Amino acid sequence: MPLARRKVRVLCVTMMLNVFICVLVGVSWSLGRDRSGRHKVRIPFKRFWRKQEQSRTFWNREQQRLDFLHNPVISGGESLAKLPDWLNDTGPLDPCEPDYRVPTQVSDYSKLPQRFQDFLLHMRCRTYPMLINQPHVCDEKPFLLLAVKSLIPHFDRRQAIRETWGRAGVVANRTVVTVFLLGSTLPLDHFPDLLGMLGHEAELHKDLLQWDYRDTFYNLTLKEVLFLEWFSQSCPQARFVLKGDDDVFVNTLRIIELLEGLSDSRAKDLFIGDVISDAGPHRNQKLKYFVPESVFVGRYPPYAGGGGYLYSGEVALRLHNASRQVVLYPIDDVYTGMCLKKLGLAPERHSGFRTFDIEEKFRDKPCVYRSLLLVHSRGPQDMLAIWPWVVQPELDCQ
Ligand SMILES: *[C@@H]1O[C@H](CO)[C@@H](O)[C@H](O)[C@H]1NC(C)=O
Ligand SMILES: *[C@@H]1O[C@H](CO)[C@@H](O)[C@H](O)[C@H]1NC(C)=O
Ligand SMILES: *[C@@H]1O[C@H](CO)[C@@H](O)[C@H](O)[C@H]1NC(C)=O
Ligand SMILES: *[C@@H]1O[C@H](CO)[C@@H](O)[C@H](O)[C@H]1NC(C)=O
């Protein structure tokens, strides 16, 4: 067992570190006495901690405020330190009012793309009413909840998922529940009115969750936060969650197999996917992932690509908690990485998650899909073609 070996190694390293620290303490103890053996008391004559400096960028500054408010040392008890003025400027009382501090506080606000301005004006609001809910969808206490990010017009993608990897019910003797996560469309975005059809779909399949916010790329973080909120209230007993896009193919059988093989302690902190490390913001306005320098500086924590990742229900509940302490960031998977970091967790890489697809020459090889967990991107017709390859017992893949 490589895990056991790793444990032994960690133990050895810890013991050696302990010995090393003992030696260090011993040496410094003897150094800290004068000739007669008395203690020399050293009093630092300068401040030895760094003063919190006001960040120049909008997101970082908002995060400094949240960190301050949630710091139990500073803000606990009655001795509540008075906030420095720059941290006490919280904007409108109602966080769902547009935040008109933004145009004055973001230096290049007027030059930013409209979609980023929209994000900034509304990023403090996290509560939106639910338009379609399925409060009883988890009554059966699912082993695996499949939460699929979709958009209203994607009827065909959702149907293909229902007919293939997202078929709810009992799969491999485990209860699987599927929900699709949707926002709204606004008349100003010139969408045709699909609400009648959506209502019909919800009635027919009882697997849609819809919230009343504008479903755009920078609002995907909102989708994440609202989902975690819903999960804590309506599905907290699900053992595992797979959250993914509606253009990924998931090998549900392999996922269940992997989950069944986990020890309890591994299962508890589980968060796996296609991990991206040492990334940072894109500064080109034309890119989908653009984030300006006036809003965020810094590197991203390791995060799992938003095409799809797998985590335990327990981690979902903790993420929901942590998300209150992290300012909404316009890139949803990076945001989830930030929340994980708050929890002291890091996403784990698994080579079965292929959010950047597999080599072209393997894409039509049935047996390849047997060993994959998730692959991006596949359309509805691909899904219907691939699924039988995964479930057919007669396909010989030796
Ligand atoms: C924030 O500012 C308001 C008004 O300026 C003041 O009443 C309040 O005590 C301040 N809050 C903190 C925590 O410093
Ligand atoms: C199916 O699952 C149930 C409980 O989850 C278990 O008791 C039963 O043995 C399983 N059956 C098979 C064939 O694995
Ligand atoms: C996100 O949704 C809210 C509520 O509909 C909207 O006001 C805001 O403009 C949206 N943000 C983006 C970036 O689309
Ligand atoms: C969420 O936070 C509250 C208070 O901070 C804590 O009591 C609770 O145990 C936390 N829940 C989880 C699942 O971590």
Side-chain angles (χ1 to χ4, degrees):
M1 280 274 289
L3 197 68
R5 254 205 331 245
R6 226 172 44 210
K7 271 192 184 152
V8 170
R9 231 171 51 204
V10 169
L11 211 73
C12 286
V13 170
T14 319
M15 269 163 59
M16 274 160 59
L17 263 177
N18 275 337
V19 170
F20 181 66
I21 289 169
C22 279
V23 171
L24 266 186
V25 168
V27 168
S28 65
W29 185 75
S30 57
L31 284 181
R33 296 176 163 240
D34 61 16
R35 286 229 184 88
S36 58
R38 280 192 315 239
H39 274 291
K40 266 196 299 197
V41 180
R42 302 241 208 126
I43 299 170
F45 51 90
K46 276 204 304 215
R47 186 173 53 215
F48 58 88
W49 65 92
R50 210 168 36 174
K51 197 173 161 202
Q52 166 100 301
E53 300 231 350
Q54 175 176 8
S55 172
R56 267 187 257 246
T57 48
F58 188 73
W59 188 96
N60 301 82
R61 206 158 53 227
E62 291 291 291
Q63 186 59 44
Q64 282 181 319
R65 175 182 301 119
L66 275 193
D67 286 343
F68 193 94
L69 294 175
H70 287 100
N71 184 331
V73 179
I74 310 177
S75 60
E78 284 174 54
S79 62
L80 181 69
K82 190 170 166 357
L83 284 173
D85 286 343
W86 59 271
L87 275 177
N88 192 8
D89 174 19
T90 50
L93 234 64
D94 177 358
C96 290
E97 290 286 307
D99 185 352
Y100 290 120
R101 291 173 308 160
V102 173
T104 58
Q105 295 194 5
V106 176
S107 52
D108 57 351
Y109 178 81
S110 61
K111 296 200 203 88
L112 296 178
Q114 176 77 46
R115 59 197 185 104
F116 209 91
Q117 295 182 348
D118 286 341
F119 169 76
L120 290 171
L121 284 177
H122 301 280
M123 78 182 212
R124 289 168 65 245
C125 183
R126 298 167 179 242
T127 46
Y128 291 95
M130 267 193 111
L131 300 175
I132 301 178
N133 191 4
Q134 313 292 340
H136 296 294
V137 75
C138 287
D139 283 357
E140 289 268 309
K141 297 195 179 65
F143 178 74
L144 177 62
L145 175 72
L146 302 169
V148 186
K149 297 182 269 181
S150 189
L151 291 173
I152 292 175
H154 295 176
F155 295 98
D156 56 343
R157 298 192 191 183
R158 291 193 288 278
Q159 189 56 28
I161 291 170
R162 287 185 194 107
E163 291 179 16
T164 58
W165 60 266
R167 180 175 293 152
V170 177
V171 182
N173 196 30
R174 294 290 188 176
T175 309
V176 174
V177 166
T178 301
V179 289
F180 295 95
L181 315 176
L182 302 169
S184 299
T185 49
L186 301 188
L188 78 96
D189 289 320
H190 309 297
F191 279 103
D193 180 4
L194 299 174
L195 288 185
M197 283 162 69
L198 197 72
H200 181 64
E201 185 189 2
E203 187 74 17
L204 192 61
H205 298 289
K206 304 194 169 29
D207 57 6
L208 301 185
L209 304 179
Q210 191 198 10
W211 288 267
D212 189 14
Y213 70 88
R214 187 179 176 199
D215 215 347
T216 57
F217 177 72
Y218 286 141
N219 263 347
L220 277 175
T221 306
L222 210 46
K223 190 169 277 194
E224 172 86 14
V225 170
L226 292 168
F227 167 67
L228 290 172
E229 169 92 33
W230 176 86
F231 183 86
S232 320
Q233 279 173 11
S234 304
C235 203
Q237 309 210 25
R239 289 283 308 280
F240 299 100
V241 182
L242 183 128
K243 184 156 177 281
D245 283 328
D246 62 3
D247 61 348
V248 297
F249 180 83
V250 177
N251 185 340
T252 321
L253 300 183
R254 273 273 292 152
I255 297 263
I256 292 176
E257 200 178 288
L258 175 137
L259 294 174
E260 284 179 330
L262 294 177
S263 67
D264 283 351
S265 62
R266 275 270 286 139
K268 191 169 153 280
D269 286 345
L270 183 81
F271 195 106
I272 60 176
D274 202 347
V275 175
I276 300 156
S277 300
D278 199 31
H282 288 276
R283 302 304 194 189
N284 180 347
Q285 287 216 7
K286 297 210 178 78
L287 291 178
K288 184 175 167 190
Y289 302 98
F290 165 70
V291 175
E293 272 128 330
S294 55
V295 170
F296 178 83
V297 288
R299 304 297 295 169
Y300 291 160
Y303 65 96
Y309 40 72
L310 179 63
Y311 50 108
S312 67
E314 159 118 22
V315 167
L317 298 177
R318 279 146 73 197
L319 277 175
H320 174 238
N321 245 3
S323 72
R324 297 192 195 122
Q325 301 183 27
V326 185
V327 174
L328 293 192
Y329 192 76
I331 319 285
D332 67 332
D333 43 11
V334 172
Y335 179 76
T336 305
M338 291 171 166
C339 296
L340 273 182
K341 192 175 166 204
K342 267 267 180 268
L343 295 173
L345 298 177
E348 192 182 319
R349 201 183 97 83
H350 192 298
S351 57
F353 284 81
R354 305 301 288 267
T355 54
F356 296 99
D357 214 333
I358 50 179
E359 268 186 77
E360 184 137 20
K361 62 180 181 204
F362 295 129
R363 284 181 202 165
D364 54 1
K365 300 272 184 289
C367 287
V368 169
Y369 291 90
R370 288 259 166 119
S371 58
L372 291 179
L373 294 170
L374 181 144
V375 57
H376 172 266
S377 69
R378 294 294 180 273
Q381 286 169 293
D382 302 321
M383 292 182 193
L384 286 158
I386 298 169
W387 183 243
W389 299 342
V390 168
V391 290
Q392 256 166 29
E394 59 269 25
L395 185 66
D396 184 7
C397 287
Q398 292 315 307

